[in-house]
Amino acid sequence: MRIYLPSTLRLLDDACHAGEFGPPPLTAYAVTPALREWYAEGDDEELEYAAMAQAARASVGLLAADPGTARRRVVVACEVSAIPPADGTVELGDARLELHVVVPWATVAAVHMDAAEAAAVVGKAADLWDAAQNGDDDAVFALDSCEGEDLMWYATQEIPDLLAAEGPTAG
């Protein structure tokens, strides 16, 4: 099953060197029963995209917590063998899961990341993250604006070169 881990360039660099994402618990996103029920008409590709979009939004929260890292959303797609069942408290349409295990680097299938040109839009959303969580309309608009930025796709063999070129704090 494919899961999407919200990340930052700094966290991606740390995981690449450590050989795993952790420590648990980790927030991941996947095609959950709640997401499948919400998007009943969606095909598998649309459901995967919706899960990845939720992970990309969560990446903005990670950027807000780490102002020293590059203002670019990062989502790591991983293939894992099993996903724990939802605990029943998930809202309809929610793709979020809590993992109580480390995710080995060997499970990484691809990385999705903003282009450098998106840094201003993403940075503004990260700066306003707390206000968006409190319902401020302008902050929510800034966060929603990130969805207009496409995430680029990187194959696993490209990640070391990407990290070497970008560095964990590159903007």
Side-chain angles (χ1 to χ4, degrees), residues 55-75:
R57 183 172 280 248
S59 176
V60 178
L62 296 173
L63 293 171
D66 185 3
T69 194
R71 307 325 259 169
R72 293 161 74 182
R73 297 169 301 162
V74 176
V75 175

Side-chain angles (χ1 to χ4, degrees), residues 17-72:
H17 287 94
E20 65 186 22
F21 292 89
L26 294 171
T27 300
Y29 295 80
V31 179
T32 61
L35 182 65
R36 193 172 292 282
E37 186 177 344
W38 181 258
Y39 291 100
E41 299 298 318
D43 63 21
D44 288 344
E45 187 175 324
E46 290 169 319
L47 292 167
E48 293 282 341
Y49 184 81
M52 185 179 73
Q54 288 185 31
R57 183 172 280 248
S59 176
V60 178
L62 296 173
L63 293 171
D66 185 3
T69 194
R71 307 325 259 169
R72 293 161 74 182

Side-chain angles (χ1 to χ4, degrees), residues 5 7-22 76 103-106 108 159 163:
L5 297 172
S7 192
T8 65
L9 270 169
R10 185 186 318 270
L11 293 173
L12 180 66
D13 189 60
D14 291 348
C16 183
H17 287 94
E20 65 186 22
F21 292 89
V76 183
V103 176
W105 182 262
V108 174
I159 297 169
L163 291 169

Side-chain angles (χ1 to χ4, degrees), residues 91-155:
E91 291 184 31
L92 197 60
D94 197 351
R96 186 179 48 235
L97 296 169
E98 188 173 289
L99 303 179
H100 296 279
V101 296
V102 298
V103 176
W105 182 262
T107 65
V108 174
V111 167
H112 304 271
M113 185 177 77
D114 281 310
E117 296 78 23
V121 171
V122 174
K124 181 176 181 181
D127 292 343
L128 297 173
W129 176 260
D130 289 336
Q133 301 314 297
N134 291 323
D136 178 274
D137 288 339
D138 291 336
V140 170
F141 180 79
L143 185 58
D144 289 345
S145 295
C146 289
E147 292 176 11
E149 300 294 330
D150 289 328
L151 297 175
M152 300 182 307
W153 179 87
Y154 294 92

